[in-house]
Amino acid sequence: MIKYIKLKTIAITAITALVFTSCSDDFTDVNSKGSVSYGNFWKTADDVQLAVNGMYEEMRTSEMFGRGFFWYINASDDMITGRIKADADNVKNFVCTGDEGYTANMYPRAFKVIRRANDILKNIPEMDVSEDVKNQAMGEAYFMRGFFYFWLAHSYGDDGENGGIPIITVDNMEAPAGSYERPSSVRENYEQIVNDLDAAAQLLPLFTEMSGADYGRPHKDAANAYIAKTYLYWAQYDESKYADVVTYADKVINSGSGRALIDTDNPSEDYRLLHSHLNNWTSEYIWSVNSGVNAGSILPGVMLENKGWSKYNGWGYYQPTEELYEAYEEGDARREVTILKYGDEFEYFGETRKYYSENSLSGFQFNKYMYEFKNESPIGTDINSNGDDPTTVYNVPLMRYAEVLLMKSEALIMQGLDGDEPLNKVRDRAGLDPISEATLEDLKHERRVELAGEFANRHFDLVRWGDAEEVYSKPLHGRIHSDRTNPDSDYTIQEVWSARNYDPSYMNVWPLPTTVIEGADIPQNIGW
């Protein structure tokens, strides 16, 4: 997981039990500290560090940013579920209940982090530790609370009959379980998220002011980037928020931390090396799942060919569609880096191979996460020796600088202003000619091809643009080869996922797990 959190497992387990006895998987269990140990804990700077580190536990779990929220992104037109699994299929087909094993734990796990952040914000101000220690800890707590609320809010809340997600802060964290109500609108969540992230930005340093030992902790640019994205989502309901998107994108662009695209005028190499551990801490990566050979995001292994051509335990999920492949312009260097098709050459365990798959249901594989599998002996050095936990040393991105530029471009376009400059910076890195008088359709295209297969969330883009119903009414296609073991075999384009009946009157949000509904005494999202 995160380098600075790698204490001995027994220490992490002990302190988690000691400090956070109130944190069950059900977020409503927020008032049962119940132990003398809890009261005796908040004394020293070491206690602060252990409490802060405890917030990052969920970043690495499969149910959060290994797969987790990616099951919702998988609903988009960019990919299909690569293996037949009923729960996964039900989510993609919008016939889910909220209790699917793949998604049922995300809501309660997110509230566990929120509870831990609230504990920090409640206790640390009164501690006898330095102001620097307090400010750093509270900045991280504000960030993590805002970040996890960000994912909850747009996944489960709306501006309609459902409303938002219960807001739990230091002020009401001791209220009885089941007493929390949903706010009338998700706009209230977005306001709280902006407040939290703004508080974080005031307290946290720039990344360039941090030491290597602290890499993986949030910083000013991460907080401001997620404020920009929160306003982008908020603008779905209030167009005046587009101006705020530009303001906070510019805070990142002009922060003084040297944010820039990886661009040496070699588009293919730039985009390939961008998606590798070589750029984990460089100018483009703003917030990621800090990963390594022992723990982190399992997404690279989840996307790898099922059984990994007998070299590694790939899981074979999340496979690109023909529609995504064809979305790229000719000459766009991002296409081959993003997608492997039959016959494409790539390095794998020290061998130059031509891509084929006996398992892929679409005839494609995401290539973005493959770099760490290239060396002759990557196991234990670049990838996890445990194929059941297929992490790599690549920090899976959650927010890149390219997305900040595209958010600014979209917000300018939506205000009737010129969004060409930030959009064309992204196009230039891909080796493409600039666009003049870019439209929203140009922006939609650029966002799709730049961020394909990432946590940027193509599905929710389609939702907030009002495009989901039309896009999902069409089937998805792949390339079915006559000889699956021959990379040079011919193929036919066939339907690999049926059209779906998407009803935006209720499917713009996802269903809540039954355990949350029962434990929190809040209503299910209407229609589910």
Side-chain angles (χ1 to χ4, degrees):
M1 186 201 165
I2 300 175
K3 293 177 182 177
Y4 59 79
I5 198 171
K6 287 179 181 175
L7 308 177
K8 292 183 179 179
T9 302
I10 188 170
I12 284 288
T13 303
I15 199 63
T16 299
L18 176 71
V19 184
F20 303 110
T21 54
S22 61
C23 297
S24 70
D25 275 350
D26 185 339
F27 82 94
T28 59
D29 183 16
V30 297
N31 64 340
S32 56
K33 297 182 192 63
S35 73
V36 176
S37 298
Y38 182 95
N40 290 335
F41 174 72
W42 303 95
K43 303 296 183 184
T44 68
D46 286 343
D47 293 344
V48 172
Q49 194 65 73
L50 287 169
V52 169
N53 288 350
M55 291 189 297
Y56 298 94
E57 176 188 4
E58 296 300 334
M59 290 291 292
R60 66 178 178 176
T61 60
S62 172
E63 292 93 338
M64 298 299 282
F65 298 106
R67 291 184 291 174
F69 285 107
F70 214 89
W71 289 115
Y72 293 161
I73 298 169
N74 182 57
S76 81
D77 54 338
D78 280 356
M79 62 191 82
I80 63 169
T81 307
R83 296 168 64 180
I84 298 173
K85 292 283 187 179
D87 280 359
D89 293 349
N90 289 342
V91 174
K92 186 167 179 68
N93 289 327
F94 304 103
V95 294
C96 48
T97 66
D99 296 328
E100 284 74 19
Y102 292 124
T103 58
N105 291 322
M106 297 182 313
Y107 189 107
R109 283 181 179 273
F111 267 104
K112 182 160 64 173
V113 178
I114 290 165
R115 171 60 206 232
R116 293 181 178 187
N118 283 334
D119 272 327
I120 290 167
L121 295 171
K122 176 184 178 180
N123 288 283
I124 285 181
E126 304 303 320
M127 290 181 66
D128 185 18
V129 295
S130 73
E131 288 301 308
D132 286 346
V133 169
K134 288 183 180 181
N135 289 342
Q136 178 68 31
M138 293 180 68
E140 291 184 48
Y142 278 122
F143 178 87
M144 293 298 283
R145 188 171 75 180
F147 174 75
F148 276 90
Y149 259 122
F150 168 83
W151 281 95
L152 290 173
H154 73 265
S155 296
Y156 302 106
D158 63 23
D159 191 40
E161 294 182 70
N162 294 307
I165 301 304
I167 297 173
I168 304 178
T169 65
V170 172
D171 292 339
N172 66 345
M173 62 188 285
E174 308 298 345
S179 66
Y180 300 103
E181 296 182 356
R182 300 182 68 164
S184 61
S185 171
V186 74
R187 299 185 198 210
E188 295 181 49
N189 289 118
Y190 290 150
E191 182 178 14
Q192 178 65 41
I193 293 164
V194 167
N195 289 340
D196 277 352
L197 294 175
D198 188 60
Q202 301 305 313
L203 293 168
L204 294 174
L206 290 170
F207 178 80
T208 47
E209 297 170 341
M210 296 164 62
S211 67
D214 287 331
Y215 287 178
R217 297 185 187 274
H219 46 80
K220 227 178 265 295
D221 287 348
N224 285 325
Y226 272 102
I227 294 175
K229 192 162 185 177
T230 301
Y231 277 127
L232 186 70
Y233 285 6
W234 195 345
Q236 176 186 1
Y237 309 115
D238 180 355
E239 291 187 355
S240 72
K241 301 304 178 186
Y242 284 120
D244 295 306
V245 176
V246 176
T247 297
Y248 281 88
D250 279 341
K251 284 180 181 287
V252 179
I253 293 167
N254 302 317
S255 70
S257 63
R259 292 294 166 189
L261 299 177
I262 304 301
D263 188 355
T264 67
D265 294 326
N266 186 340
S268 296
E269 182 176 359
D270 289 341
Y271 202 67
R272 174 64 280 177
L273 296 183
L274 166 66
H275 294 285
S276 77
H277 70 279
L278 302 177
N279 279 297
N280 276 349
W281 307 117
T282 55
S283 61
E284 187 153 351
Y285 279 75
I286 293 177
W287 186 239
S288 308
V289 184
N290 198 356
S291 301
V293 296
N294 295 316
S297 174
I298 63 172
L299 191 63
V302 170
M303 286 188 168
L304 180 65
E305 162 78 2
N306 189 20
K307 301 180 182 178
W309 298 285
S310 300
K311 297 281 190 178
Y312 194 72
N313 185 29
W315 293 14
Y317 289 113
Y318 310 139
Q319 295 166 356
T321 59
E322 176 73 12
E323 283 75 12
L324 175 60
Y325 187 85
E326 293 298 332
Y328 288 86
E329 301 165 60
E330 286 300 322
D332 190 334
R334 293 171 293 193
R335 183 172 65 181
E336 273 60 47
V337 175
T338 302
I339 300 173
L340 283 174
K341 68 179 185 303
Y342 267 56
D344 285 351
E345 290 190 349
F346 65 104
E347 300 295 317
Y348 186 71
F349 279 76
E351 176 187 2
T352 300
R353 299 177 63 100
K354 283 188 174 183
Y355 175 74
Y356 72 85
S357 172
E358 295 183 71
N359 302 298
S360 175
L361 300 181
S362 72
F364 297 105
Q365 179 181 303
F366 278 107
N367 190 28
K368 278 185 173 179
Y369 302 94
M370 287 287 291
Y371 187 87
E372 282 63 42
F373 295 91
K374 67 189 293 286
N375 294 330
E376 183 176 2
S377 302
I379 295 176
T381 55
D382 294 326
I383 64 178
N384 201 322
S385 58
N386 178 6
D388 292 328
D389 187 22
T391 64
T392 75
V393 292
Y394 175 45
N395 291 346
V396 169
L398 301 177
M399 174 71 72
R400 291 196 285 113
Y401 184 65
E403 185 173 8
V404 173
L405 293 174
L406 292 175
M407 289 192 293
K408 179 179 179 180
S409 178
E410 180 177 350
L412 289 169
I413 291 169
M414 292 301 291
Q415 295 177 86
L417 302 173
D418 183 353
D420 291 356
E421 181 183 2
L423 184 143
N424 284 326
K425 286 182 179 179
V426 177
R427 288 181 59 82
D428 178 74
R429 194 260 297 279
L432 298 174
D433 293 334
I435 290 175
S436 296
E437 299 180 0
T439 65
L440 181 59
E441 290 306 311
D442 293 324
L443 181 282
K444 289 178 180 180
H445 163 82
E446 207 61 39
R447 188 171 171 88
R448 182 183 192 183
V449 295
E450 172 69 26
L451 303 170
E454 300 183 36
F455 275 98
N457 204 340
R458 165 72 174 172
H459 165 68
F460 195 72
D461 284 345
L462 295 173
V463 169
R464 66 186 180 85
W465 290 328
D467 295 341
E469 183 177 13
E470 179 182 356
V471 169
Y472 296 158
S473 70
K474 302 171 184 177
L476 300 174
H477 298 83
R479 298 184 178 185
I480 308 305
H481 288 257
S482 57
D483 182 352
R484 287 177 174 268
T485 64
N486 180 0
D488 299 314
S489 62
D490 57 4
Y491 65 88
T492 56
I493 295 177
Q494 298 182 23
E495 181 179 315
V496 294
W497 207 273
S498 299
R500 292 164 286 167
N501 295 317
Y502 184 87
D503 185 347
S505 71
Y506 72 96
M507 292 179 180
N508 285 351
V509 294
W510 295 97
L512 298 170
T514 300
T515 54
V516 169
I517 295 167
E518 294 176 347
D521 193 24
I522 58 176
Q524 175 62 279
N525 282 329
I526 294 170
W528 287 107

